[in-house]
Amino acid sequence: MEIILILVGILVGTLSGFFGIGGGMILIPILMVLGIDIKTAIGISIVQMVFSSLYGSYLNHKKGSLIIGEGVWVGIGGFIGGLLGARVSNMIPDTTLQYMFLGLLAFALIRLFSAKISDNNSVKSLSKVVLFGVGVLIGVFAIALGVGGSILLTPILAGFLLYPIKKAVSAGLFFVAFSSVAGLASHLSSGTIDIEKGLYVACSSLLGVFLGIWLKDKVSSSKHKNYLLIMYLVAMILLIKKMFIG
């Protein structure tokens, strides 16, 4: 099992760096297929997200693709929302969590599919209050499902606010750093994380993050969007298979 978790960590880390996601939307269905229950999978996912998001944001900042300014306000909101979201996950039945996760994936897929990719590097400025509020809402919903929040934030930035896709991806991963740290603190206090399995996945994911960010810089924005859509579809297929086929 340890070797499988290490390989899964490298895979998820690569996807995290390339798409700016925490990795939960892929990691949770994979762990469920391996026979791990959803709540344990959520805990493992949060440990992995902390490692991959912090390291990935550091790399993106060094490369100049991470816009810190407004992202901080969304991130602070996500941190507070993440603290609340971990509590929510302990009050919701497993089946309900699965349906919520499936709905989350469907929304992200539709929103990203309809988004127009902009080659303009300018970014629309938004109210700090609005950004903070968006961060809180996404943090609550995302951490309850064991995902970092970029699955919602990145499509919103690219689809509604016309962020360049690669900058939206970097901002999404930066958001994950805030929400996942909060989620980790909350889950640790309630004793719902398998630390050993989480560290296997998280440590190996760092290599994947490095590879993913390197690959991201090698592809065009339009191709990047198409790859992201494919990744969402794969995650949905894995989850549907587990929920309805077994």
Side-chain angles (χ1 to χ4, degrees), residues 38-208:
I38 188 170
K39 289 188 177 179
T40 300
I42 286 173
I44 293 171
S45 172
I46 290 173
V47 176
Q48 181 272 323
M49 286 190 293
V50 170
F51 278 61
S52 63
S53 63
L54 290 173
Y55 182 54
S57 293
Y58 165 73
L59 293 178
N60 282 326
H61 180 62
K62 281 186 63 178
K63 292 175 178 290
S65 65
L66 173 61
I67 304 170
I68 298 289
E70 294 181 343
V72 170
W73 291 99
V74 183
I76 293 172
F79 182 88
I80 293 173
L83 290 174
L84 300 174
R87 304 297 180 184
V88 171
S89 69
N90 291 326
M91 298 184 294
I92 298 176
D94 288 1
T95 301
T96 302
L97 277 174
Q98 290 177 354
Y99 279 105
M100 290 174 66
F101 189 62
L102 183 60
L104 183 65
L105 287 176
F107 169 80
L109 184 64
I110 293 170
R111 182 61 255 170
L112 188 65
F113 180 78
S114 62
K116 294 181 179 179
I117 299 302
S118 173
D119 292 323
N120 187 351
N121 287 325
S122 64
V123 178
K124 182 179 179 180
S125 180
L126 294 176
S127 163
K128 294 176 182 178
V129 175
V130 171
L131 291 167
F132 177 80
V134 168
V136 171
L137 290 174
I138 293 177
V140 168
F141 192 51
I143 287 299
L145 296 172
V147 295
S150 63
I151 185 176
L152 286 174
L153 183 60
T154 300
I156 288 172
L157 290 177
F160 289 107
L161 305 180
L162 302 180
Y163 269 54
I165 188 69
K166 292 186 180 181
K167 288 187 177 180
V169 162
S170 296
L173 190 59
F174 185 52
F175 175 85
V176 173
F178 286 84
S179 60
S180 61
V181 167
L184 178 63
S186 187
H187 275 272
L188 283 174
S189 68
S190 60
T192 56
I193 290 183
D194 187 326
I195 296 295
E196 182 179 355
K197 288 185 176 66
L199 289 176
Y200 273 116
V201 176
C203 292
S204 57
S205 74
L206 298 181
L207 172 60

